Amino acid sequence: MTLGEKLSKLRKEYNYTQEQLADILGVTRQSVSKWESDIAYPETDKLIKMGKLFECSMDYLLNDDITEKQGIEPKEPETFWDKFKKQFHERKSEKMIFGMPLYHIGKHAHGFFAVGIRARGVFSIGLMSQGVVSLGMLSLGVISIGLLSLGLISAGMFSAGLLAVGSIALGLFAAGAISVGLISFGALSVGCFSTGALAVGKYAAVGDHAYGMIAIGKSMAEGNVYSHIGDLTTADIPTVVEWLDANVPSWLCWAKGIFKFFIQ
């Protein structure tokens, strides 16, 4: 088996295209093609790099009589992490969409579908992820899911967005154990309109303990203009609506409408 045949076989086993291998070695795709066709031969430093990349000895690469791959040195049994790293080498689609590879898997990935330590794409997954739909430990996107998440629609341990859901949530609409938002739902809820076990609302609060301009609480209610302990009755609702109309500014009429729907 010639050097070119071995290089072609190893490249395909490791799921590299000629272009990807060329990028790793710092040569052109045409150079890789010539090596695999035995038209030209790689320089010594390139052989050494390929030996490390493909985990094989120089004897295997250069000796046509050796047809079985020989490792560089005896190894310990592969752990799960070793197998993961071996499979997680860079892969990039040659097909392009909107000027990006259809998919890119690598340490720093950028593609329509991107998976990596740092990933950017329309759909992205990574420790640090940025995309229209983003999933990661640190995630930024239109739809974002992660430990620390920022997006128009956001979900995570710590979440911020137009619509935010998380253990700690900050958003226009926020729901979480600790929730801060214009309209807020949570165990501890703070907002213009809030609902929760402990609810603090600038204009209205509903919960077990409620504090706000209008406060409706099961156990405690402290309101500046209206307080009510217990469930609202049909007779109470018009009074609450009247106070809302009198005190909530016009630019929050949509939020007021949502709160009215909630209490009715």
Side-chain angles (χ1 to χ4, degrees):
M1 185 181 290
T2 66
L3 171 62
E5 291 171 336
K6 291 175 182 177
L7 292 181
S8 178
K9 180 173 179 288
L10 289 167
R11 176 178 61 79
K12 292 173 182 176
E13 284 179 357
Y14 280 73
N15 294 317
Y16 287 119
T17 65
Q18 288 185 343
E19 185 179 43
Q20 290 166 356
L21 180 58
D23 287 341
I24 293 170
L25 298 175
V27 299
T28 64
R29 187 197 63 78
Q30 289 78 7
S31 294
V32 175
S33 178
K34 289 179 180 179
W35 296 344
E36 293 184 358
S37 301
D38 292 311
I39 296 172
Y41 294 91
E43 298 173 355
T44 303
D45 63 321
K46 308 302 182 189
L47 283 169
I48 293 172
K49 283 185 179 181
M50 285 189 285
K52 291 179 179 179
L53 180 65
F54 297 135
E55 302 175 305
C56 63
S57 67
M58 290 298 99
D59 282 345
Y60 169 71
L61 289 176
L62 297 174
N63 193 330
D64 292 351
D65 294 330
I66 300 176
T67 57
E68 294 297 326
K69 178 179 172 182
Q70 297 174 334
I72 297 172
E73 60 182 22
K75 293 185 176 182
E76 297 288 333
E78 282 190 327
T79 64
F80 172 81
W81 181 244
D82 291 330
K83 293 178 181 178
F84 174 79
K85 288 191 292 184
K86 184 176 180 180
Q87 293 298 319
F88 197 72
H89 53 71
E90 187 164 358
R91 305 178 192 178
K92 185 187 293 186
S93 170
E94 294 182 355
K95 183 177 180 180
M96 306 294 284
I97 296 182
F98 304 123
M100 297 180 292
L102 174 60
Y103 65 85
H104 188 184
I105 301 172
K107 185 176 181 181
H108 301 284
H110 180 209
F112 192 84
F113 294 95
V115 180
I117 305 301
R118 299 184 66 175
R120 292 186 300 119
V122 177
F123 298 92
S124 63
I125 301 174
L127 292 180
M128 298 179 66
S129 179
Q130 180 180 346
V132 177
V133 178
S134 177
L135 174 63
M137 188 164 290
L138 301 177
S139 180
L140 173 65
V142 177
I143 300 175
S144 177
I145 301 173
L147 184 64
L148 175 58
S149 178
L150 176 63
L152 291 181
I153 300 175
S154 177
M157 185 72 70
F158 303 95
S159 176
L162 182 66
L163 172 59
V165 179
S167 296
I168 299 177
L170 174 64
L172 186 64
F173 297 88
I178 300 175
S179 176
V180 180
L182 188 61
I183 298 178
S184 177
F185 302 86
L188 171 58
S189 177
V190 179
C192 290
F193 298 87
S194 63
T195 301
L198 174 57
V200 180
K202 181 176 181 180
Y203 298 109
V206 177
D208 188 46
H209 290 71
Y211 303 87
M213 184 177 291
I214 296 170
I216 303 167
K218 290 185 177 180
S219 300
M220 180 180 292
E222 292 187 10
N224 297 331
V225 298
Y226 180 84
S227 299
H228 181 90
I229 296 178
D231 294 330
L232 286 176
T233 65
T234 304
D236 296 319
I237 292 175
T239 303
V240 175
V241 170
E242 180 182 346
W243 280 111
L244 286 170
D245 291 338
N247 291 281
V248 176
S250 59
W251 67 274
L252 281 175
C253 61
W254 58 274
K256 178 177 64 176
I258 293 173
F259 189 78
K260 286 179 181 179
F261 178 80
F262 177 76
I263 62 175
Q264 289 176 344

